[in-house]
Amino acid sequence: MDRIVGIETEYGCLVSGHAQPGSSDGWPVKVKNFLFRKAQIGTIDLHYRDYEEPPGNGGFLLNGGRLYLDMGHIEYASPECLHLRDIVAYDLAGDQLLQSALEGLHASDRVSFIKNNVDHHTGATFGCHENYLMRREAQFTPPILGTLLSFLATRQIFTGAGRVGQANPLAFDFEVPQPDAQVEFQISQRADHIVNDIYQWVQFNRAIINARDEPLADYRKYRRLHLLIGDSNMSPFATALKVGTTACVLSLLEEGRLPKNLSLSDAVQSTRDISRDQTGRWLVFLENGKTIGALDIQWQFHELAVKHFAGLNEETDWLLDSWQFTLDALDHKPESLIGGVDWLTKKWLLETFMAAENIGWEHPWLQSLDLEYHNIDPARGLFFGVTPAKRIGEWNDSMRRKEASFTPPANTRAAGRAQAVAYFQKRQHPYVINWDSVAYDSRDFLVMGDPFCDYRNEVEKFLSRAGSTSPNE
């Protein structure tokens, strides 16, 4: 992959039915406090990050990532990763940390964290945001953006997590949407909640691409592409496809090799149409008036990626081969993707259950099962009971690395940041740790503007100066 990538995941929290109403609200706080105070997974923030993040709201971790509270949800941000295997493993590390906290609090029998994107009861959504470092000089003209949006709208055919039912959120102009025909099952959880193609806000007017220019790196060299459209995946194979194919397409963009005449007439409407189309045709309208299938769009991107990137390295070849395997299977043998593509896996589980119980899609059990698919507890989550084909199963199993919870990637600046976390964790010195800097006592700071540098030597020298100064001077 050779591109800096990070994933931010918000988790839902469920407490067993016999608990007091509203009792789930306090568990994210309890888990956050347990992880920082008891498990000592990192250093808690001593300062305001902004008005919604006061001191103690979260902190950076020994693995270089970050864990914090966001509007009542617990959120985990992976460290910066340079390789595909790393980003998948460090995304899973968030699940491992939260589950270990529940077990440490002796609460795993009654409290669950759910890695999904919808609340069936309130209609709320919570995100799985992807971050891709790009060259500052990359061109984002309207035709280029249109082509990128076509890829992002159609990739859900293998990245979608699936959901029962539908939501009809208000758009930013607050127009009441027209009632839709009842939808039994959708490919994507986020599709109904995306109301714009490109916009700066994250809440209320969620866009496919968040346009805020905040590189968290040297702004002269880099920009950060922040995507809101993605679902939270239970399958590591699906996470690898989601991140890996997107990284490939961004490389095509940077090199001026995107396909031509592939802009959608309406990327937001196409996203919703594909999600709700259970025929498998997934037809969309292009800007030029033609219709095309989502599979055909993906094949065009795949063909160019193979042409320009095949043979670069083993990881890229695995990705290109898996992308091809998945597109072929979606067209000819979708059952071979069970355990690898989340929406297909969930739909198969639900249809099997409905046949056994002789019930339909309207039964409330299905919403409960929908949530349980995303339970991160391997002993309870429905995803973990599925046995995939060998190709997918071996990949999924190889991605669960316990050490990813407490050791950083060795080849990004997460390594230097984790070094600072470990240092301040053992001392009473005042500190400020950010994605792109470390500060001591507000008087000395180290800028880490290059995400590709591990900063180990620089952090060691910086900390030696901090250690030679009394925190009370």
Side-chain angles (χ1 to χ4, degrees):
M1 185 174 65
D2 292 332
R3 181 179 298 277
I4 296 290
V5 177
I7 298 177
E8 305 162 57
T9 304
E10 297 177 9
Y11 294 82
C13 182
L14 286 180
V15 180
S16 60
H18 55 75
Q20 293 295 320
S23 60
S24 64
D25 297 344
W27 276 103
V29 177
K30 292 178 184 177
V31 165
K32 182 264 295 182
N33 289 341
F34 175 89
L35 286 170
F36 282 102
R37 296 174 183 173
K38 184 73 173 178
Q40 297 189 342
I41 63 164
T43 53
I44 203 79
D45 292 334
L46 303 179
H47 65 295
Y48 276 91
R49 293 180 63 81
D50 59 38
Y51 69 95
E52 291 181 342
E53 284 199 74
N57 187 69
F60 283 94
L61 311 177
L62 290 170
N63 73 356
R66 180 168 173 77
L67 187 138
Y68 51 100
L69 300 178
D70 183 9
M71 300 186 69
H73 292 282
I74 200 162
E75 182 163 347
Y76 166 79
S78 76
E80 303 94 327
C81 295
L82 188 56
H83 296 309
L84 193 57
R85 286 182 174 272
D86 282 345
I87 189 58
V88 177
Y90 281 95
D91 175 61
L92 291 171
D95 303 3
Q96 294 164 186
L97 285 169
L98 298 191
Q99 187 58 32
S100 69
L102 291 179
E103 292 168 2
L105 290 163
H106 307 290
S108 59
D109 60 334
R110 63 189 189 280
V111 182
S112 303
F113 281 108
I114 307 298
K115 192 178 186 179
N116 79 329
N117 306 106
V118 293
D119 184 329
H120 288 295
H121 299 291
T122 67
T125 183
F126 21 99
C128 176
H129 298 173
E130 301 154 57
N131 299 280
Y132 299 86
L133 195 72
M134 299 189 65
R135 302 174 195 160
R136 172 59 65 177
E137 64 269 21
Q139 297 296 306
F140 281 92
T141 62
I144 287 174
L145 277 172
T147 305
L148 177 60
L149 288 167
S150 296
F151 167 77
L152 294 172
T154 57
R155 70 173 191 172
Q156 64 179 293
I157 62 177
F158 53 80
T159 67
R163 65 158 294 172
V164 173
Q166 68 202 87
N168 292 296
L170 293 174
F172 186 57
D173 56 11
F174 299 108
E175 292 181 0
V176 178
Q178 296 298 312
D180 293 324
Q182 187 63 33
V183 178
E184 295 173 341
F185 184 85
Q186 293 194 59
I187 288 175
S188 169
Q189 297 202 350
R190 290 285 274 180
D192 283 351
H193 299 274
I194 297 295
V195 298
N196 213 330
D197 49 8
I198 303 168
Y199 202 69
Q200 285 189 326
W201 286 10
V202 175
Q203 299 170 8
F204 310 122
N205 192 17
R206 295 179 185 87
I208 295 172
I209 299 173
N210 179 254
R212 181 177 56 194
D213 189 3
E214 187 183 12
L216 300 175
D218 187 339
Y219 72 92
R220 297 166 299 179
K221 296 180 179 179
Y222 304 114
R223 70 170 73 238
R224 177 170 61 105
L225 184 70
H226 188 59
L227 302 182
L228 309 186
I229 192 174
D231 290 359
S232 297
N233 292 110
M234 291 300 293
S235 168
F237 183 81
T239 301
L241 284 179
K242 176 173 67 179
V243 173
T245 59
T246 304
C248 266
V249 170
L250 295 180
S251 293
L252 290 172
L253 185 159
E254 289 177 332
E255 296 177 14
R257 291 169 168 168
L258 288 175
K260 307 295 184 183
N261 303 314
L262 211 57
S263 295
L264 296 171
S265 173
D266 186 331
V268 174
Q269 187 61 49
S270 296
T271 298
R272 194 168 299 191
D273 290 344
I274 294 168
S275 180
R276 296 182 174 205
D277 180 4
Q278 292 303 300
T279 68
R281 297 177 68 200
W282 304 315
L283 294 177
V284 292
F285 289 97
L286 295 177
E287 205 170 48
N288 60 18
K290 297 180 180 179
T291 58
I292 189 172
L295 264 173
D296 295 322
I297 290 176
Q298 286 294 317
W299 276 120
Q300 289 195 40
F301 282 103
H302 176 267
E303 180 181 352
L304 285 173
V306 170
K307 178 179 178 180
H308 296 292
F309 305 136
L312 282 181
N313 51 57
E314 182 180 347
E315 184 174 81
T316 300
D317 287 345
W318 178 91
L319 172 67
L320 295 173
D321 185 54
S322 296
W323 194 359
Q324 177 179 334
F325 163 76
T326 301
L327 297 179
D328 273 331
L330 284 168
D331 201 19
H332 300 108
K333 195 177 180 183
E335 64 273 15
S336 65
L337 296 173
I338 290 173
V341 171
D342 280 306
W343 73 265
L344 272 168
T345 308
K346 182 187 289 183
K347 191 167 187 282
W348 172 73
L349 283 170
L350 294 177
E351 288 177 340
T352 301
F353 179 81
M354 287 190 294
E357 298 292 334
N358 194 29
I359 59 174
W361 283 104
E362 73 285 351
H363 201 287
W365 274 354
L366 296 184
Q367 288 188 350
S368 297
L369 292 174
D370 187 341
L371 290 177
E372 283 303 318
Y373 178 87
H374 298 272
N375 192 328
I376 64 172
D377 184 352
R380 300 169 67 183
L382 297 184
F383 169 77
F384 298 97
V386 174
T387 302
K390 182 179 179 182
R391 176 196 188 112
I392 294 171
E394 288 181 349
W395 170 268
N396 286 353
D397 290 343
S398 70
M399 290 299 100
R400 301 185 187 279
R401 305 184 335 218
K402 289 184 178 180
E403 67 274 13
S405 297
F406 50 84
T407 58
N411 52 3
T412 72
R413 71 177 171 197
R417 183 187 309 115
Q419 190 176 347
V421 168
Y423 177 89
F424 288 118
Q425 189 181 58
K426 299 173 183 177
R427 292 165 176 83
Q428 297 301 313
H429 296 316
Y431 57 83
V432 177
I433 301 176
N434 283 308
W435 290 106
D436 55 359
S437 64
V438 176
Y440 163 68
D441 197 23
S442 301
R443 293 178 296 178
D444 195 8
F445 67 94
L446 172 67
V447 175
M448 300 190 295
D450 183 0
F452 293 94
C453 176
D454 65 32
Y455 283 99
R456 283 190 172 120
N457 292 333
E458 292 85 347
V459 169
E460 184 178 359
K461 292 177 182 177
F462 173 78
L463 295 177
S464 67
R465 294 202 305 270
S468 64
T469 305
S470 169
N472 298 316
E473 283 185 7

